[in-house]
Amino acid sequence: MPKLEIDGQEVEVANGTNLVQAAEQLGTEVPHYCYHPGLPVAGNCRMCLVEIEKMPKLQIACNTRANEGMVVHTKSDRVLRARESVLEFLLVNHPIDCPICDQAGECKLQDYYMDHDRQESRIPLESKVSKGKAIDIGPMIMLDQERCILCTRCTRFLDEVTGTSELGIFERGNHCQIDLFPGVMLDNPYSGNVADICPVGALTNKDFRFRTRVWYLESTPSVCPGCATGCNIDIHHRSGEVFRYRPRHNPDVNSYWMCDEGRLSYKRYQGEGRLLQPVQRAGEDWQPIAWDAAVGRFVDVLKGDKRIAGVISAQSSNEEIFLFDQLVREQLSGQVAGHSWSPEGASSDELLIDGDKNPNTAGLTELGLTLDARKIIDSALAGEIDTLVLYGTDLTQVCTVEEIAELGDKLDAAIVLDLRYGPSLEIADLVLPIASYAEIEGSFINRQRRCQVLGRSMEPTGHSWPGWQLLTKVAGSLGAPSHDSASAVFERIADKHAAFRGLTLAGLAGLGAPLGGATSGDG
């Protein structure tokens, strides 16, 4: 492991580390455009020039490996003059349309100009080379050729990561521009990543364009709920509304990327259809009910000598699954099954997209639940169940419309805990709204048996409650120990299930960790 000096500070780095990465270990940013840690080095923007003692010329930090005894200067006069010149060159034909550019607030051209340039252009605006603006190049992406600085991040991503190569560089000299190859559109399952990695406003995401300025947004680290891969993401939100998901680096799960399907999955958790308050059936109508009364009625329905069964979906967190199982099976001696459903022919590939469109199927099995919801439905149809509790479960994924109607006649009571209005409400006597995964603390387990933390981004929508909070309150009313946080629930999971031992929610924050041992069941 070589030791070197950067701006007077000594640092030891791994073999093969470049100078951009070495400086980052000291908290020093070497400005760069074309370099991206998830892509092959191009070395074409020249923004990362640094001075290395005993070398006559400035060197690009992105393609210079750290060596023993190197003495590097990232802020010398020579370096600062070079950065100023590079920025002036990159801005020669830039349209300077920052006020209307949707990249404002996260544009490295703006940031580096303020840090390293701040000089007036010697090229009149009317003399700049004009290129295409607001070009529709695919379902997810708009292209503005005038803003492009030809860093080639997008072309390298499409060549090296997706292997689809829709974009290339055309023309020559100052007329060079990014464009589509003839006869194709940018329409691969990972196209949204080119907007993430574009350092300027040349490639923007259609779904996010002009919805808000980025400096108004808050960011919360979490996990994508779109499939069993569990890509690490940042949820960008404001005032109780999610505006976008962006991939968060995790070398063991998704590297720097995420698929478009997962990127747009935030929409299912907000908008019309969300359940906002508890309701109970009153004849053919629904009647609002206060939370205390709703919990009381839930408890009353569960009491007594009744045959109880519950089904919980793989969209639920580990904490919700554990408490649901403890309530129905342990406290009430009922039957419990997990439910994991994906549409026929669900998309999948060898990169990130999994055919299991549930974020926590592994959580159900790790916590000892069987995936046989149909067995419970058959028991209910046979008149062997009095009370059915459905947690986040769409009955149309388990049985036919006719069977749903028959269930309504066979059951004495049905209680539905869910996020959105759905077919299961047709048989419900009591409906309790639960918060979405973005509104709770908790954890999922992905297809690699990696346990990862959900970041609570906002308060629950309407009068919904976090599911773990509702379940622990009901269980407490029936005499079980209560929990004051999702972390406390996770501690109980770790006590009971061997694969979770040694883990805590706080310790899993960031990149998560693999579970220990085989599929756990009861410890």
Side-chain angles (χ1 to χ4, degrees), residues 53 61 78-79 84 204 219 249 290 312 348 383 451 459 465 474 521:
E53 289 187 8
R78 287 182 67 195
V79 169
E84 188 176 304
T204 49
S219 179
H249 179 229
I312 185 166
S348 64
C451 193
E459 294 296 317
W465 274 15
V474 171

Side-chain angles (χ1 to χ4, degrees), residues 9-24:
Q9 294 181 271
E10 189 176 89
V11 62
E12 184 175 13
V13 298
N15 291 327
T17 302
N18 66 41
L19 294 182
V20 173
Q21 296 167 322
E24 283 178 351

Side-chain angles (χ1 to χ4, degrees), residues 302-316:
L302 297 178
K303 285 179 178 178
D305 186 17
K306 298 173 183 176
R307 298 168 297 175
I308 296 173
V311 179
I312 185 166
S313 84
Q315 299 287 326
S316 310

Side-chain angles (χ1 to χ4, degrees), residues 61-368:
C62 67
N63 203 30
T64 302
R65 297 294 180 262
N67 283 304
E68 183 70 31
M70 259 187 180
V71 179
V72 181
H73 302 282
T74 71
K75 300 172 184 176
S76 67
D77 289 341
R78 287 182 67 195
V79 169
L80 295 178
R81 285 197 302 270
R83 287 179 190 163
E84 188 176 304
S85 298
V86 168
L87 277 167
E88 183 179 19
F89 175 75
L90 292 176
L91 286 162
V92 161
N93 290 309
H94 195 276
I96 319 297
D97 54 356
C98 300
I100 62 166
C101 178
D102 214 40
Q103 193 79 1
E106 53 187 2
C107 174
K108 301 312 291 184
L109 202 55
Q110 288 180 349
D111 295 345
Y112 291 158
Y113 171 81
M114 296 304 296
D115 290 340
H116 304 288
D117 192 6
R118 293 201 183 192
Q119 59 182 316
E120 292 187 12
S121 174
R122 289 185 262 177
I123 307 296
L125 194 60
E126 60 272 12
S127 300
K128 293 175 180 281
V129 175
S130 296
K131 300 176 185 177
K133 299 190 76 64
I135 304 169
D136 185 348
I137 61 172
M140 290 284 290
I141 302 296
M142 296 288 284
L143 168 64
D144 193 311
Q145 293 169 330
E146 284 191 338
R147 299 172 186 166
C148 178
I149 59 172
L150 301 173
C151 72
T152 71
R153 282 187 178 187
C154 57
T155 60
R156 280 177 284 146
F157 173 80
L158 297 171
D159 289 342
E160 302 292 336
V161 179
T162 66
T164 51
S165 301
E166 295 95 337
L167 293 174
I169 299 176
F170 300 88
E171 305 297 341
R172 296 181 179 181
N174 64 353
H175 288 270
C176 277
Q177 60 191 29
I178 294 290
D179 207 346
L180 291 165
F181 280 97
V184 300
M185 295 292 283
L186 181 54
D187 191 15
N188 69 67
Y190 298 89
S191 63
N193 290 282
V194 300
D196 297 334
I197 62 178
C198 181
V200 295
L203 294 164
T204 49
N205 191 307
K206 286 183 182 178
D207 181 64
F208 182 72
R209 276 168 64 90
F210 307 123
R211 290 183 62 201
T212 186
R213 288 297 194 183
V214 296
W215 50 76
Y216 294 131
L217 296 177
E218 297 179 63
S219 179
T220 303
S222 193
V223 179
C224 176
C227 77
T229 301
C231 289
N232 287 212
I233 62 172
D234 287 314
I235 300 176
H236 291 183
H237 56 96
R238 182 184 74 182
S239 302
E241 180 181 1
V242 174
F243 283 82
R244 64 179 180 182
Y245 292 161
R246 295 190 77 177
R248 178 169 54 89
H249 179 229
N250 188 326
D252 297 311
V253 180
N254 58 302
S255 186
Y256 295 90
W257 322 120
M258 72 181 300
C259 73
D260 295 346
E261 188 178 300
R263 187 183 298 273
L264 297 177
S265 65
Y266 75 89
K267 296 182 179 182
R268 74 177 75 149
Y269 298 101
Q270 55 192 24
E272 291 185 11
R274 277 293 298 265
L275 297 172
L276 301 178
Q277 64 180 9
V279 293
Q280 61 183 349
R281 190 171 292 280
E284 296 297 319
D285 298 320
W286 291 105
Q287 180 182 53
I289 182 174
W291 262 114
D292 287 344
V295 170
R297 183 171 177 193
F298 190 177
V299 171
D300 289 341
V301 170
L302 297 178
K303 285 179 178 178
D305 186 17
K306 298 173 183 176
R307 298 168 297 175
I308 296 173
V311 179
I312 185 166
S313 84
Q315 299 287 326
S316 310
S317 70
N318 294 320
E319 294 71 22
E320 293 166 316
I321 294 167
F322 175 78
L323 289 175
F324 187 82
D325 183 49
Q326 291 289 295
L327 172 65
V328 178
R329 185 161 57 176
E330 297 290 332
Q331 281 187 266
L332 302 170
S333 301
Q335 305 174 55
V336 177
H339 174 57
S340 178
W341 178 87
S342 300
E344 186 176 349
S347 58
S348 64
D349 62 24
E350 296 182 357
L351 184 55
L352 293 176
I353 303 173
D354 198 285
D356 179 0
K357 300 306 175 184
N358 300 277
N360 205 23
T361 300
L364 291 171
T365 56
E366 289 291 341
L367 293 169

